[in-house]
Amino acid sequence: GAGVSQTPSNKVTEKGKYVELRCDPISGHTALYWYRQSLGQGPEFLIYFQGTGAADDSGLPNDRFFAVRPEGSVSTLKIQRTERGDSAVYLCASSLIQGGEQYFGPGTRLTVT
Amino acid sequence: KNEVEQSPQNLTAQEGEFITINCSYSVGISALHWLQQHPGGGIVSLFMLSSGKKKHGRLIATINIQEKHSSLHITASHPRDSAVYICAVRGKTSYDKVIFGPGTSLSVIP
């Protein structure tokens, strides 16, 4: 079956612009996670959704970052006024239930110039 | 001190060698994941374990909860095993965020 998909696969934007990154989880998975991975480092947690609600957004670095999951399926990570330090691979994962095995998407590579 | 540490950071092995990657953590966990990430590729979950040992093909993962330590073993290594291997832990409550280790970069030479 289809795995987790993310679009776009690559995004280049200018400093100060707004970007949206999309994640399509595996159908039926209730939990969805966003992570950020900078070059040469392990992923860092950003936000976790259980259903439509953000159960834990403690990893969002500042108020320029926001994520939604309005229907409990697709999620969008939104970054306002992008900065060069936002350049990273943004990973999405989903799991069938809370605490279940996570399945990762291919990631979106964001480059802010 | 990072909550999840891995050793070695980088590893080069000859094809056929037995490989061990270690993970130690300092927090109480409900589960530990071993993940594989190929260059430019996404992350694939290899194992999720909370006790004992799991085996899948040439891969074996063990965990010692008391010692807060886990190992990933690769038998009869092959160049296609070259990747970054990441240890990640989940906290005691199931909705806790996953904490990732820094990864171990493995290169298997023919």
Side-chain angles (χ1 to χ4, degrees):
Chain A
V4 178
S5 61
Q6 291 186 243
T7 54
S9 56
N10 283 284
K11 176 71 177 177
V12 180
T13 191
E14 292 180 348
K15 179 175 177 296
K17 299 289 188 182
Y18 168 82
V19 296
E20 290 190 352
L21 311 178
R22 176 186 167 112
C23 172
D24 278 89
I26 293 172
S27 179
H29 280 199
T30 62
L32 185 146
Y33 302 79
W34 282 101
Y35 301 96
R36 178 169 72 172
Q37 186 174 26
S38 299
L39 191 64
Q41 299 181 20
E44 295 175 295
F45 169 83
L46 294 177
I47 186 170
Y48 156 60
F49 286 91
Q50 180 57 38
T52 60
D56 184 347
D57 64 358
S58 61
L60 294 177
N62 52 59
D63 62 6
R64 295 186 297 106
F65 288 74
F66 188 71
V68 296
R69 195 186 184 200
E71 297 179 359
S73 177
V74 171
S75 176
T76 304
L77 178 65
K78 308 180 181 196
I79 310 174
Q80 298 177 318
R81 304 183 304 280
T82 51
E83 299 178 357
R84 292 196 180 88
D86 299 335
S87 297
V89 174
Y90 289 81
L91 295 162
C92 175
S94 71
S95 64
L96 184 60
I97 56 171
Q98 276 185 6
E101 186 157 359
Q102 294 187 21
Y103 295 83
F104 285 81
T108 293
R109 182 176 297 280
L110 175 66
T111 304
V112 182
T113 61
Chain B
K1 187 176 189 297
N2 295 329
E3 291 170 298
V4 182
E5 295 186 326
Q6 290 183 235
S7 64
Q9 183 178 355
N10 294 285
L11 179 58
T12 300
Q14 291 288 340
E15 183 174 357
E17 282 186 10
F18 179 83
I19 290 164
T20 296
I21 300 171
N22 295 298
C23 174
S24 60
Y25 52 91
S26 58
V27 296
I29 70 167
S30 59
L32 181 144
H33 302 257
W34 280 103
L35 309 165
Q36 181 191 56
Q37 186 172 35
H38 283 275
I43 291 177
V44 174
S45 179
L46 299 175
F47 296 103
M48 184 175 79
L49 64 165
S50 55
S51 66
K53 176 180 173 178
K54 286 189 176 181
K55 184 176 190 292
H56 181 70
R58 295 181 294 106
L59 302 177
I60 303 166
T62 64
I63 188 168
N64 184 319
I65 296 294
Q66 287 73 29
E67 295 187 3
K68 295 187 174 177
H69 181 269
S70 175
S71 293
L72 176 68
H73 305 285
I74 306 174
T75 61
S77 59
H78 190 276
R80 65 174 173 266
D81 297 328
S82 299
V84 174
Y85 291 84
I86 302 172
C87 169
V89 301
R90 180 188 297 278
K92 281 284 191 184
T93 49
S94 64
Y95 51 77
D96 272 8
K97 58 184 179 278
V98 175
I99 304 169
F100 292 79
T104 293
S105 179
L106 171 66
S107 178
V108 181
I109 300 169

